[in-house]
Every structure is written in C-alpha cells, then in structure tokens.
Amino acid sequence: MSCLIEIDNLFFHYPDGHQALRDVSLHVSHGDRVGLVGPNGAGKTTLFLVLSGVINQFGGYVSVAGCDLRTSGGRKAVHQKLGIVFQNSDDQLFNASVLEDVAFGPLNLGLEENEIRRRVDDALASAGLGDEFKNRLPFHLSGGEKRRVAIAGVLAMQPQVLLLDEPSSDLDPRGRRELIGILDSLPITRVISSHDLDFVLQTCQRVVVFDEGRIVADGAAREILSDREIMLEHGLDVPLSLQIRKGGSY
Ligand SMILES: Nc1ncnc2c1ncn2[C@@H]1O[C@H](COP(=O)(O)OP(=O)(O)O)[C@@H](O)[C@H]1O
Ligand SMILES: [Mg+2]
C-alpha cells in the first residue's frame, strides 16, 4: 500500500511522567491532506516531534516513508523524507538572508552548487516568494512572509511529507489567504495541526481530532468539523463557514 506515515499503538510520556500520547494509531497515504485538530495540550506538537525523529523513547511502531523511527538510523534518515514547519518561524529562520535560510538544508546535504541553486529557486517559487526576497533579512519580514520562507526552506529538502504546526496562528487575513493559496498549489502530502478550523476546512480533506493524547475521531473534514457534538466535547467549535451554511443553527 502507498502508506507514507504508519503509526501503530504509539504511547509516549515526557521525562516528568506526563503521558502525552496514548495508543495513537494513524495511517497517512500518499497525497493525503490531513488536519490535526484538538484543544491546547492535546498532544499535536508532541506527535509532530515523534514523526520528525526528535523524540526517541516511545512505545509502539512509527514509520515515515520507509524509515523505522524506533531505530536511530531511521530517525536520522527521516530528515530527508519529512519536513516540519514550526509554529514559531523565528525558531526556524536564523540566517542573515532569505537565500541563506532556504539554501541551508541543501548545502548541508553537500549537493552541487547548480543543484542547490535549482532547489532554492524552485522552493522560493513554490512558496510564492519572488527573487526580490532573496537578499531580505528574514527577521524583517512580516509573519506571513516568514512562514513562507520557512516553508521554502523545508521544500528545498524535497521531502515526501510536510508537517505544519499551527501555520495560520499569528497571520493577518492577507497572510492567511496567501498561505491557503500556496498550500493549495503544493502537491505534497501534508499534516496540518491547527485551531483555525476554517483554515483546516479549506486546506484538508481529512480531519483527525485529538484530545488528551488520543485520537477521538478520524474522517472526512466536512463531516467531522460540522459535528457540533464532537467539536464541543473536545474543546472546539464548528467552523464559522459551516455554521452559516447551516442556516442559522448557531
Ligand atoms: N517538555 C515537556 N515536558 C512535560 N510535558 C510536556 C512537555 N511538552 C509538552 N508537554 C505536555 O504534553 C501535553 C501535550 O502537549 P503538546 O503536544 O504541546 O499539545 P498541543 O500541541 O496539542 O497543544 C501537554 O499536556 C503539555 O503540557
Ligand atoms: Mg502545539
């Protein structure tokens, strides 16, 4: 099967004993666009840290694009298969120019100069950033522009799957709209964690609801997000656009 992410019976607790993931099983296929929703503290970011190979002491089975994350070799190899865009772009951008930030990953792979240039140009174009951004200081960009530079940096590694942690938080309406357009045009498999349920509705076909470290619902985005009972029980609410369409049920 074309399963890109395979998680079976995943358990994880932090060193202080806090159980953050409880018996999580989730399969993501090539081309899936999955929204991961749930209240604060549900375990969304922790799950991303497991998938990106940062967390190593977990129970259960996790593999990403053929990398078995129970092994240190798998956790190392996953860096070239999976890209993560952090919630706070300032954690991800640390070079003196956009060009250097986007070229950083390919440079570390030891690729040829021409290949690096090609990857950087493709990645910038995919993230909707014209040539004029190359010499800008990332620190001086708007929130939306920073998020797009972070996405370009990850795309330059040519991953098979993209994780975005709360990508629309702290963006203004224009930045948010531009991000939706960019994600729409990217063919890559992705998992997006978000509290912004309208954003999830516009960018994902499938939704997984997380609460207290467990998956409590998994299915078609529109169906799950319009289920008021599920949403309210797990600290969420039906997205505004679905409430209005239902003819004033709110
Ligand atoms: N480093 C840590 N040590 C102990 N507990 C943590 C740590 N990081 C997160 N947690 C706890 O794990 C749970 C899940 O957190 P997190 O994955 O950040 O949730 P979410 O991203 O859904 O808001 C929360 O209860 C949080 O307090
Ligand atoms: Mg989080």
Side-chain angles (χ1 to χ4, degrees), residues 123-134:
L124 286 170
S126 297
L129 296 162
D131 273 351
E132 69 278 13
F133 278 95
K134 280 185 177 168

Side-chain angles (χ1 to χ4, degrees), residues 33-35 205-209 217-225:
R33 299 177 167 203
V34 182
Q205 327 108 328
R206 177 179 167 197
V207 160
V208 172
V209 183
D218 180 352
R222 193 160 281 272
E223 224 164 272
I224 298 225
L225 294 176

Side-chain angles (χ1 to χ4, degrees), residues 56-219:
N56 53 24
Q57 301 275 354
F58 58 81
Y61 176 78
V62 183
S63 88
V64 175
C67 302
D68 182 344
L69 300 191
R70 294 172 306 180
T71 67
S72 64
R75 289 191 296 274
K76 200 155 173 255
V78 80
H79 292 298
Q80 287 189 50
K81 311 278 187 185
L82 175 144
I84 179 162
V85 177
F86 297 122
Q87 178 167 9
N88 183 356
S89 303
D90 290 330
D91 291 343
Q92 195 146 17
L93 306 175
F94 43 82
N95 284 288
S97 72
V98 167
L99 179 65
E100 286 170 81
D101 259 323
V102 179
F104 184 80
L107 266 171
N108 275 334
L109 288 180
L111 301 172
E112 273 181 31
E113 204 181 313
N114 277 344
E115 172 66 8
I116 294 174
R117 195 167 299 137
R118 196 181 58 76
R119 283 192 182 207
V120 168
D121 286 346
D122 286 354
L124 286 170
S126 297
L129 296 162
D131 273 351
E132 69 278 13
F133 278 95
K134 280 185 177 168
N135 295 316
R136 301 277 305 275
L137 185 65
F139 181 65
H140 287 165
L141 300 177
S142 72
E145 290 164 344
K146 280 184 189 172
R147 188 66 33 87
R148 279 150 58 196
V149 175
I151 290 174
V154 164
L155 290 178
M157 295 294 280
Q158 300 190 339
Q160 293 186 31
V161 56
L162 195 58
L163 306 182
L164 299 115
D165 200 359
E166 309 272 358
S168 68
S169 66
D170 72 24
L171 296 192
D172 62 17
R174 180 172 53 188
R176 185 176 171 281
R177 250 191 329 272
E178 285 171 348
L179 181 61
I180 290 171
I182 284 153
L183 291 175
D184 233 16
S185 67
L186 285 177
I188 190 169
T189 307
R190 85 282 313 255
V191 183
I192 301 177
S193 101
S194 188
H195 282 297
D196 179 348
L197 301 184
D198 279 294
F199 181 86
V200 169
L201 190 63
Q202 288 183 70
T203 53
C204 303
Q205 327 108 328
R206 177 179 167 197
V207 160
V208 172
V209 183
F210 237 72
D211 199 3
E212 296 182 347
R214 285 193 179 86
I215 293 182
V216 293
D218 180 352

